[in-house]
Structure formats: structure tokens, C-alpha cells
Amino acid sequence: MAALAPLAGAFALIFGGCCSNVYCLEAIVKHEPDSGLLITLFQFVFTCLSTLHYQFDPKGRFFVKPSPVPFRKWCISATLFFAVNMLNNWAFAFNISVPVHIILRSFGSVTTMAAGWMRGKKYTPVQIFSVAILTAGVMVSAWADAISKGKTMDTSSIDLTSASFEAGLLILLFAQLLSAYMGAYVEDIYIQHGNHWKANLFYSHLLSIPLFANFTPVLYKQFLRLQSSQPFRVPPSIAVNLSPVVIKALASTSQHVIFLTANAVTQLLCITGVNILSANTSAVTVTIVLNIRKLVSFLLSIWIFGNQMTGLMKVGAAMVFGAGALYGWETTYKIPQRKKAAAEAAGEKAKKAQ
């Protein structure tokens, strides 16, 4: 039971933090669609400051603990992390719709498994089948969500000769392949040097921040636009539990700057859960959990915003949850059972040989 505690905490952080993060993100993007770069930077800075205590050492060089992992590997991991986040945000500037964006990103489990296979990892037929069904389920759910909101998924109206559309598809595809490689690379770091997920969380964000320097003018303009939104209104049910000083401070702050802060806080919770999970499971398992989290976000969106859950969306939900359960059963029960049986058989054979 003690071994399951980190996983339980990771699931709580991923599903609580990531789903809340999506809500805050939607609130920001509705006001200022072109603010992905600022959102990413704010998340990186907040996460870096919040995880500084993990690595702080007054006697260390630059007041940081000696790294348990070669610094070169942290630099590579941070560069990959920065590139994946930037590419996913950049794709929106190339005529890529949100439904298409979600569908293409749902192939993360496939690309992660492919990257693992190219690096010598082997998967059982049940694992491969469950990943294929899960990916199809996320696609069905995204399609149903688009239809329920009146968005068309008819590709006949898309000009495939458009350089911008093709560039957007290539950017998202490259981001997924890069994300898969990053997951496998980080998994190898944990195998070789130990499960130092806290150090990875700190360094991946710290070393990414300087890479934003070239975007300073764009970041400044995006912040000014968010700051110009209406002041934040504290709900009466919450205001009764806050001090007048806090209420005054919130009321004098832009509504979308508050959402920007909340987005960074929930992103920290989310990414902490992902790092805990990646330190205790495989890269494919992490991708499976994140795909299920995507579906949960869909379901919460339906409940919160009063959208009707269609029959097609129910089919997608059943496919994703069913495939996730099948993968979990195969990975956490059947494979260990087979390994145990093989070890016992080998032991019996060795005894007989003696």
C-alpha cells in the first residue's frame, strides 16, 4: 500500500491541477487568444520559484545543491521541454482549429510507444491494442465535442495547398514526436541516475526561462492586453471568508491577470503530478494517464458549461476508460504475474539441474 501512495498523489495532482488549469486557460484565451507565449513564461517562472526550495543549499555553488544528474542532460531535457511547449502554442498561428489541435495531440501515446520501441523497448499485444483503442476514443470524443458546439470537422473546406495549414500540421506532428522522445529521454535519466523528479522539475523550468529573452517585446504587449481587462470580481460566497485587504487587492487587479496567476498555480500542481508519475512508471503509462485526463476535461466542460453529452461522446468515453483500464490491468497485474511465474519456473529448473 505504501508503494501506491506516490501514484495516488500523482493522480490527484494531475486530474485536479490539470483540469483546473484547462478552465483557467480557457478563460484567458477567450479574452486574448494570442497569449500562449505569456502563459507559458508565467508558468515556467512560477514553477521555478516554487520548486527552488527543492534544490536550495546555502553551502552549494550558486546556493544550489549538487546535481545528481550530469548538468548536460538537464540542459538537453530543458531544451526539449521548451521546444515542445513553444511548438504546441505556435501551431495556433497556422490556421489550426482547436478540435484538430486536440485530435493531433491525442496521438501522444502512439508516438511515445513508437519512440520507446525504436529505443529497444518491447510492448505486449494487449498494451499495443489498448493504446490504439484509447487514441481512437480520444479522437471520437474530440469529434463529438466539435459537433456538439457547432464546429465543423469537414475537411472538404480546408485548402490543403495552403502553406500555413500544412506548416501547422507539421509543427504539431514534430511537437508530438519531440514530446515522445523527451519522455523516453527523461525515463532513461531516471533509470540511470535515480528518480530525481524534483530536480528535473526545477531544472527543466529554470534552464528554459532564458530562452524567452528574444520574445520580450511580444511578451510585454501580451501582458498589457491582459492587464487592460476589467477588474476581478470576488464572488460573495468567497468574499465572506477573506479579509478586506485581500478583497481590495483582488478588486484592484485585472481579472485576467488573476486567471494568469491561477493558471500558473494549477500548472504547477499538474506538472508536479506528471513528474511524480514519470518517476514511478514508464513514459507510455504517463501518456495514457494524460490522455484519460484529456477526456475528463471534456466531461467537466460538458458539466460546467451545460453542454449535452451526446451518444458519440459516451462511446468515446467508454473507449478511453476501457482502454485505460485494460492497459493498467496488463501493465500492473498480468506482466508482473508472468515475470513472477517465469522466475519461479527458472528457479525450479535450477534446483532440478543441481
Side-chain angles (χ1 to χ4, degrees), residues 83-84 87-88 101-113 115 169-183 287 291 294:
V84 169
L87 288 170
N88 282 326
H101 193 278
I102 294 172
I103 289 173
L104 291 175
R105 290 190 67 183
S106 72
F107 283 98
S109 53
V110 177
T111 54
T112 300
M113 182 171 279
L169 293 178
L170 290 175
I171 287 170
L172 277 178
L173 177 60
F174 183 66
Q176 291 308 297
L177 293 173
L178 201 60
S179 178
Y181 179 81
M182 180 183 70
T287 308
N291 267 338
K294 286 181 185 178

Side-chain angles (χ1 to χ4, degrees), residues 140 142 190 194 215 253 275 277 280 292 315 333 341:
V140 169
Y190 291 151
F215 304 100
T253 306
N275 275 272
L277 189 64
N280 291 277
I292 295 175
V315 171
Y333 179 73

Side-chain angles (χ1 to χ4, degrees), residues 3-291:
L4 295 177
L7 295 181
F11 291 148
L13 289 169
I14 289 172
F15 286 93
C18 297
C19 293
S20 300
N21 180 261
V22 170
Y23 176 82
C24 296
L25 178 64
E26 185 174 355
I28 298 170
V29 173
K30 279 185 176 180
H31 173 75
E32 187 56 52
D34 188 24
S35 57
L37 187 63
L38 179 63
I39 292 170
T40 304
L41 173 61
F42 212 79
Q43 290 174 348
F44 278 30
V45 171
F46 184 84
T47 301
C48 180
L49 293 175
S50 300
T51 56
L52 179 61
H53 67 281
Y54 291 150
Q55 303 301 314
F56 180 73
D57 183 358
K59 297 180 181 179
R61 189 179 182 183
F62 302 114
F63 302 103
V64 176
K65 294 178 182 178
S67 174
V69 176
F71 193 70
R72 172 182 57 84
K73 293 188 177 182
W74 287 142
C75 290
I76 295 173
S77 176
T79 302
L80 291 170
F81 183 68
F82 174 81
V84 169
N85 279 274
M86 290 297 294
L87 288 170
N88 282 326
N89 284 331
W90 189 28
F92 283 114
F94 287 85
N95 224 9
I96 296 293
S97 68
V98 173
V100 172
H101 193 278
I102 294 172
I103 289 173
L104 291 175
R105 290 190 67 183
S106 72
F107 283 98
S109 53
V110 177
T111 54
T112 300
M113 182 171 279
W117 177 77
M118 288 188 291
R119 293 169 69 88
K121 296 184 182 297
K122 295 181 179 180
Y123 303 98
T124 68
V126 175
Q127 286 178 311
I128 296 171
F129 175 76
S130 63
V131 167
I133 295 299
L134 188 145
T135 301
V138 174
M139 293 175 64
V140 169
S141 298
W143 185 35
D145 178 68
I147 294 173
S148 68
K149 294 179 180 177
K151 298 173 183 175
T152 179
M153 297 297 292
D154 183 8
T155 57
S156 63
S157 61
I158 297 176
D159 182 7
L160 295 177
T161 63
S162 170
S164 62
F165 180 77
E166 290 180 348
L169 293 178
L170 290 175
I171 287 170
L172 277 178
L173 177 60
F174 183 66
Q176 291 308 297
L177 293 173
L178 201 60
S179 178
Y181 179 81
M182 180 183 70
Y185 184 81
V186 171
E187 185 179 342
D188 287 345
I189 289 178
Y190 291 151
I191 292 172
Q192 294 172 15
H193 304 283
N195 295 345
H196 301 289
W197 67 268
K198 293 180 180 179
N200 180 48
L201 186 61
F202 173 73
Y203 283 109
S204 63
H205 288 81
L206 174 68
L207 298 177
S208 296
I209 292 174
L211 301 177
F212 286 92
N214 291 333
F215 304 100
T216 302
V218 177
L219 290 165
Y220 181 68
K221 290 178 181 178
Q222 290 180 359
F223 181 77
L224 289 180
R225 287 197 290 266
L226 285 183
Q227 195 178 34
S228 64
S229 65
Q230 64 183 9
F232 182 74
R233 296 179 181 178
V234 183
S237 58
I238 298 177
V240 295
N241 299 314
L242 300 176
S243 68
V245 176
V246 174
I247 295 174
K248 184 177 180 181
L250 290 174
S252 63
T253 306
S254 163
Q255 175 176 307
H256 288 89
V257 170
I258 295 292
F259 281 129
L260 187 66
T261 305
N263 178 267
V265 173
T266 53
Q267 175 67 10
L268 173 61
L269 298 177
C270 176
I271 198 68
T272 298
V274 172
N275 275 272
I276 294 174
L277 189 64
S278 63
N280 291 277
T281 61
S282 70
V284 175
T285 300
V286 173
T287 308
I288 290 283
V289 172
L290 293 181
N291 267 338

